[in-house]
Amino acid sequence: MTPMRFPSRREALYRASCGFGYLALAGLSAQDGLAAGRSPNPLAPRPSHFPARAKRVIFLFMQGGPSHHETFDYKPELIRLDGKPAGGIYPGGRSKEKLLGPRFDFAPRGISGLMISDLYPHLAQHADDLCVLNGMHTDNPAHAQATIMLHTGSINFVRPSMGAWITYGLGTLSENLPGFVTINPATNVGGAQNYGAAFLPATYQGARARAGRDSIRDIRNPEMARGDQRRQLDLVQSLNRSLLERVEGNPELEGVIESYELAFRMQFAAPEVMDISREPAPVRRLYGLDRKVTEGFGTQCLMARRLAEAGVRFIQVTHRGWDQHNNLTNRLAENCAQTDQPIAALLSDLKERGLLDDTLVLWGGEFGRSPDGQGPDGRRHNNRGYSMWMAGGGVRGGVRYGATDPLGAVAVEDKMHTHDLHATILHLLGIDHTKLTYRYAGRDFRLTDVYGDVARGVLG
């Protein structure tokens, strides 16, 4: 048996200094992206491929698969056939189940007359800003797979998330905040893949944040002043510079380096941005923070606006609990009551501040629900036809793009796959999705894989 060999003191110091040197290598980059003796900041803003309609994205993720039949896809035929046997009426209809008409009424909204359910009275006031995507479809009807597909464009192996790709392509608009923030992410399906960077440098992964007061807890180091922290990092950096010059470039290492540097800067910038108590009372009421039913999601939406205003490139907020296999009527009403006022407030607030024109707001879940019931008051998963919507950021308002069949089962007109959605989002940001690539394992990867068409009909 070979005896265990402990490293010498010289070897231990060499290895430790290398590790601490990595921590401090990058330093604070200058405005022009370079500082003397330091690496360029990978989060510095980069030019788009062509003029962009949007500068940033706010993704409102409704985890669980919201029913389009009760929200944004009005189907008179489904109302007419309510209670009829589903078998043989539409592909995939189960003989033991009956068609389930929408549980809530629809009405034309705004000047455009866009049909929106009574579940969204506040959001309906923004009908003329919405571009409803009624022809959505995706590959898989399982929550985990569909969620990962929506966030990364693939379920084959771990890929970078949409927010990571966008931050990699464009950088961030803020020196002191990450390019991608995810608020209260859904970790039960997809986990960290939903906001991870995978093989991209770690700099581009999403930073997790909690909504409310806990979001700024313990972010600062109470034992060391800012100047002392900076001097400590700079000292370690100077000690290791000669060693680091001999280390070959490593994208993963560079990502870790920048992550630590960004964390240093965030200590002092993030608390101000995320402290919603700084908002005046009328704004807090606008988002519903004075009501228990809307306080939670309203806090997330208000944080999203503050982050967008501060220069964060991609912000995601998550609302769970849309998987209604039973008790759909009551549970869906609760979901919409919790999200309606906050979403409407977000759109109003962005518009009032002149941010909606260059902020793309995206709403939706991983798939929709079936036209036939599951029991007396529930719906099954449906990945073949469902709805999402966009607003702001260069999209047409007050329009419906795409359509499902008369029962809302299958996308049949201007069909929009997840790859097409991603291609369209990137296009609005000024990115050619076929050119946003990263070489890994001998292949150029991209968010849209080898697919994706820009939905030109949604462009304003």
Side-chain angles (χ1 to χ4, degrees), residues 15-285:
R15 295 174 187 176
S17 67
C18 180
F20 285 114
Y22 288 163
L23 177 70
L25 169 65
L28 290 170
S29 299
Q31 288 290 338
D32 62 359
L34 290 172
R38 292 180 177 178
S39 303
N41 179 7
L43 285 173
R46 285 183 284 282
S48 55
H49 295 142
F50 45 83
R53 311 284 188 95
K55 292 181 179 179
R56 64 194 70 82
V57 177
I58 298 177
F59 178 23
L60 309 173
F61 177 48
M62 307 293 109
Q63 189 271 320
S67 173
H68 52 295
H69 304 288
E70 277 79 25
T71 52
F72 300 104
D73 197 2
Y74 176 60
K75 294 297 177 185
E77 185 69 0
L78 187 58
I79 297 174
R80 187 181 72 83
L81 296 176
D82 184 23
K84 301 292 184 183
I89 295 183
Y90 80 96
R94 298 187 177 189
S95 57
K96 65 178 182 179
E97 300 290 0
K98 296 180 179 179
L99 292 174
L100 185 69
R103 303 292 89 183
F104 299 90
D105 294 331
F106 282 69
R109 314 289 183 168
I111 298 173
S112 61
L114 203 63
M115 297 297 287
I116 297 177
S117 161
D118 288 348
L119 285 173
Y120 274 115
H122 292 87
L123 182 59
Q125 298 174 29
H126 295 272
D128 295 329
D129 294 314
L130 305 186
C131 179
V132 178
L133 311 173
N134 282 147
M136 292 299 305
H137 65 107
T138 192
D139 294 343
N140 198 295
H143 288 292
Q145 289 86 341
T147 298
I148 293 171
M149 183 73 181
L150 175 61
H151 287 81
T152 72
S154 175
I155 58 175
N156 294 329
F157 67 92
V158 178
R159 303 277 188 100
S161 59
M162 173 170 45
W165 274 114
I166 290 171
T167 309
Y168 162 67
L170 294 174
T172 184
L173 298 170
S174 171
E175 270 196 330
N176 301 321
L177 294 170
F180 173 15
V181 175
T182 178
I183 305 171
N184 291 6
T187 55
N188 57 321
V189 284
Q193 288 188 60
N194 296 337
Y195 53 90
F199 47 74
L200 291 177
T203 305
Y204 304 113
Q205 70 185 11
R208 289 182 58 177
R210 296 185 297 268
R213 295 177 182 175
D214 286 347
S215 65
I216 58 173
R217 180 183 294 177
D218 297 333
I219 194 169
R220 299 182 182 180
N221 182 352
E223 299 178 0
M224 188 176 292
R226 181 175 186 174
D228 292 337
Q229 291 184 50
R230 184 69 261 170
R231 282 190 290 273
Q232 182 185 64
L233 293 179
D234 287 342
L235 173 62
V236 176
Q237 181 186 46
S238 66
L239 292 172
N240 288 280
R241 192 178 305 280
S242 60
L243 172 63
L244 291 168
E245 288 176 352
R246 300 195 297 272
V247 177
E248 295 183 2
N250 184 313
E252 294 180 359
L253 176 59
E254 290 173 2
V256 172
I257 292 166
E258 286 299 332
S259 294
Y260 278 112
E261 286 290 344
L262 179 60
F264 170 77
R265 299 193 296 271
M266 282 179 61
Q267 297 179 83
F268 304 94
E272 287 190 18
V273 173
M274 304 181 77
D275 185 4
I276 60 174
S277 66
R278 297 170 179 266
E279 294 288 338
V283 173
R284 294 168 60 84
R285 286 195 298 270

Side-chain angles (χ1 to χ4, degrees), residues 311-378:
V312 177
R313 184 74 71 176
F314 190 96
I315 305 122
Q316 177 167 318
V317 299
T318 299
H319 188 274
R320 302 176 182 83
W322 296 78
D323 188 24
Q324 281 112 18
H325 293 276
N326 53 62
N327 196 21
L328 178 145
T329 303
N330 292 330
R331 292 172 60 201
L332 189 60
E334 291 175 2
N335 291 149
C336 294
Q338 291 163 358
T339 59
D340 176 36
Q341 181 180 344
I343 295 173
L346 176 62
L347 295 178
S348 295
D349 204 6
L350 289 171
K351 184 180 293 188
E352 183 176 338
R353 295 167 188 270
L355 292 171
L356 186 59
D357 286 344
D358 57 12
T359 301
L360 178 65
V361 181
L362 173 68
W363 178 97
E366 63 268 38
F367 45 58
R369 314 304 293 192
S370 63
D372 53 342
Q374 185 171 15
D377 190 27

